[in-house]
């Protein structure tokens, strides 16, 4: 098989932060066979596997092989009276997949409309928004093990999904490539989720269906979150911290107004955006690196920021949050 490998390619078009670094080698792959071939012929190279490049901050040139998953295809593989199993290739754009489901009137992913990235990247951090997480519609995925070159099907349980986490971001980090994902989606009547406050407000007066929910989500996201094709960003840069109950009680004494959401075992999740906003960082800008003006959780590249400038800003915020609130903010974005 002839491989269309390129050398010294800028990764600028392939990351939503709009960072201009180079990869020593680059290839877009359209099939799993091509993926295995590329790996077999480039045994020595360090690997960077890219989906939509929407959860990634590149801080330096990559001295290895970047493989961009570009395999396509969405198909119904099974169905019964209540549900439909859909298989989508990893390289499919996530939002296009959501639109495909809406068109076929298949329910479950409408709250996840407009999330940047690819289908294959979605399970890695168990994408979530507006009251829904990927794991709720996830059935299984096909995964290539980079060490053994074997393909295995991972069930939902085996993926060990957590809040913005999975086995692929944790134990198996850097060891696997998701090639396709199977989703279990509902046929009408759909179970609708309008628990997120802003969502029910947006729908006021209309009886909810999966199409108008997706429309409302698209409106909310467009108001709050910067469009990566206009201003470089990777969505939430930080995870929302989950505090043990003792720490939460102390914090609440000092800041009674802090928004909070109960989690398991008495733990409490609080919005990192509130902490960052309260410190006055919202709308902050240093050269071309900044904090978005409408959502303090999102770091932005106004044009020419380097990955290191963004990383430095993230560390400055992390340090200040630690100093003032004694909370260790975790990065949600992968930094390379
Ligand atoms: N808030 C502020 N300042 C801000 C923004 C928010 O104080 O600038 C406070 C408000 O009190 C608000 C609360 O934070 O009520 C929560 O904000 P929001 O509802 O916007 O959600 P979030 O916790 O900031 C999470 C996800 C988003 C997802 C939204 C909606 C994480 C890390 N982020 O953000 O996911 O879209 O909920 O469900 O869990 C992403 O992962 O890239 C992402 C954008």
């Amino acid at each position: 098989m002839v491989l269309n490998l390129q050398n010294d390619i800028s990764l600028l078009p392939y990351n939503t932060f709009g960072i201009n670094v180079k990869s020593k080698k680059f290839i877009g792959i359209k099939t799993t066979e091509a993926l295995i071939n590329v790996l077999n012929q480039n045994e020595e190279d360090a690997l960077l596997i890219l989906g939509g490049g929407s959860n990634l901050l590149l801080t330096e040139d990559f001295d290895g092989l970047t493989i961009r998953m570009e395999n396509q295809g969405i198909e119904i593989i099974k169905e019964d009276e209540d549900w439909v199993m859909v298989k989508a290739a990893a390289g499919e754009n996530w939002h296009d997949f959501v639109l495909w489901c809406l068109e076929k009137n298949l329910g479950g992913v409408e709250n996840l409309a407009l999330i940047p990235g690819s289908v294959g990247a979605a399970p890695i951090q168990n994408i979530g928004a507006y009251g829904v997480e990927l794991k709720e519609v996830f059935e299984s995925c096909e995964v290539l093990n980079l060490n053994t070159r074997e393909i295995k099907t991972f069930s939902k349980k085996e993926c060990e999904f957590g809040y913005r986490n999975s086995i692929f971001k944790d134990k198996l980090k850097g060891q696997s490539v998701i090639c396709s994902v199977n989703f279990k989606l509902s046929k009408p009547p759909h179970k609708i989720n309008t628990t997120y406050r802003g969502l029910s407000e947006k729908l006021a007066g209309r009886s909810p269906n999966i199409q108008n929910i997706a429309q409302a989500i698209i409106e909310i996201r467009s108001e709050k979150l910067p469009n990566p094709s206009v201003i470089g960003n990777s969505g939430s840069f930080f995870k929302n911290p989950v505090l043990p109950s003792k720490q939460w009680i102390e914090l609440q004494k000092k800041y009674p107004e802090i928004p909070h959401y109960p989690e398991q075992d008495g733990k409490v999740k609080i919005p990192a955006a509130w902490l960052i906003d309260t410190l006055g960082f919202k709308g902050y800008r240093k050269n071309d690196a900044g904090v978005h003006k409408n959502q303090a959780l999102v770091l932005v590249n106004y044009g020419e920021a380097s990955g290191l400038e963004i990383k430095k800003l993230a560390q400055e915020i992390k340090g200040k949050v630690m100093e003032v609130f004694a909370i260790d903010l975790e990065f949600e974005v992968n930094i390379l």
Side-chain angles (χ1 to χ4, degrees):
M1 186 185 272
V2 184
L3 298 174
N4 194 15
L5 213 65
Q6 294 170 281
N7 294 308
D8 283 322
I9 285 293
S10 167
L11 295 179
L12 183 61
Y14 307 117
N15 73 97
T16 60
F17 243 127
I19 304 294
N20 191 9
V21 294
K22 277 189 194 158
S23 178
K24 190 175 78 180
K25 296 181 185 175
F26 178 89
I27 191 164
I29 72 98
K30 305 261 189 283
T31 63
T32 310
E33 297 76 63
L35 171 61
I36 294 173
N37 247 297
V38 173
L39 294 170
N40 288 342
Q41 293 186 30
N42 296 274
E43 295 278 357
E44 302 304 315
D45 287 301
L47 291 176
L48 169 60
I49 311 288
L50 277 188
S54 62
N55 202 40
L56 176 70
L57 178 65
L58 297 161
T59 59
E60 57 186 14
D61 288 342
F62 182 62
D63 187 27
L65 167 63
T66 300
I67 299 177
R68 186 167 187 265
M69 296 298 285
E70 294 175 356
N71 53 339
Q72 301 285 298
I74 307 176
E75 54 176 333
I76 293 176
I77 51 172
K78 237 194 315 195
E79 63 186 294
D80 81 357
E81 284 156 34
D82 305 319
W83 52 261
V84 174
M85 193 93 76
V86 174
K87 178 177 183 170
E92 287 285 344
N93 172 274
W94 174 262
H95 183 62
D96 289 347
F97 167 67
V98 172
L99 294 178
W100 186 94
C101 297
L102 291 170
E103 171 142 332
K104 300 251 177 320
N105 204 14
L106 299 176
V109 286
E110 55 282 357
N111 291 47
L112 304 177
L114 213 61
I115 294 185
S118 63
V119 163
I124 297 178
Q125 58 153 342
N126 181 25
I127 57 169
Y130 307 102
V132 173
E133 282 185 335
L134 173 99
K135 69 173 184 196
E136 291 161 51
V137 288
F138 178 94
E139 177 69 17
S140 61
C141 59
E142 269 181 12
V143 178
L144 177 80
N145 181 314
L146 285 170
N147 303 321
T148 62
R149 309 276 152 84
E150 276 165 1
I151 294 181
K152 180 185 153 173
T153 301
F154 277 64
S155 67
K156 188 190 309 209
K157 192 155 175 267
E158 286 171 314
C159 291
E160 299 178 11
F161 290 124
Y163 165 59
R164 292 295 195 279
N165 206 9
S166 74
I167 193 165
F168 310 112
K169 209 178 162 181
D170 195 27
K171 274 180 239 161
L172 293 184
K173 191 173 175 150
Q175 294 175 48
S176 46
V177 184
I178 296 179
C179 299
S180 67
V181 183
N182 288 346
F183 299 90
K184 193 172 177 180
L185 302 162
S186 66
K187 286 185 177 176
H190 300 295
K191 252 204 242 145
I192 302 276
N193 184 327
T194 56
T195 49
Y196 186 83
R197 298 169 320 284
L199 186 52
S200 31
E201 282 159 24
K202 269 268 178 245
L203 284 169
R206 283 182 290 171
S207 89
N209 58 44
I210 59 172
Q211 284 78 16
N212 65 22
I213 286 192
Q215 194 49 47
I217 299 277
I218 289 171
E219 285 169 25
I220 296 173
R221 289 190 75 98
S222 312
E223 283 160 17
K224 282 195 185 172
L225 300 169
N227 177 348
S229 55
V230 183
I231 301 179
N233 76 90
S234 269
S236 301
F237 198 94
F238 304 93
K239 282 191 185 185
N240 285 333
V242 179
L243 306 181
S245 76
K246 206 168 149 220
Q247 189 181 4
W248 161 243
I249 290 163
E250 289 306 311
L251 188 73
Q252 202 185 25
K253 273 190 211 150
K254 268 189 162 166
Y255 306 97
E257 70 282 20
I258 195 164
H260 54 282
Y261 316 99
E263 294 278 306
Q264 284 165 341
D265 313 322
K267 291 181 182 159
V268 175
K269 190 193 271 177
I270 58 167
W274 186 91
L275 302 171
I276 299 167
D277 199 350
T278 302
L279 293 174
F281 277 110
K282 190 144 109 180
Y284 174 86
R285 177 170 178 171
K286 202 171 195 178
N287 302 323
D288 270 357
V291 178
H292 187 52
K293 62 179 181 1
N294 297 334
Q295 169 51 286
L297 202 49
V298 179
L299 301 189
V300 291
N301 173 8
Y302 286 104
E304 302 286 312
S306 69
L308 282 175
E309 281 176 295
I310 306 267
K311 185 178 172 189
K312 217 168 141 219
L313 174 58
Q315 280 165 336
E316 187 183 338
I317 293 170
K318 188 177 157 83
K320 201 78 193 153
V321 168
M322 178 52 99
E323 187 187 316
V324 176
F325 299 106
I327 291 172
D328 188 16
L329 277 192
E330 266 181 61
F331 298 147
E332 199 219 86
V333 166
N334 294 308
I335 300 181
L336 273 183

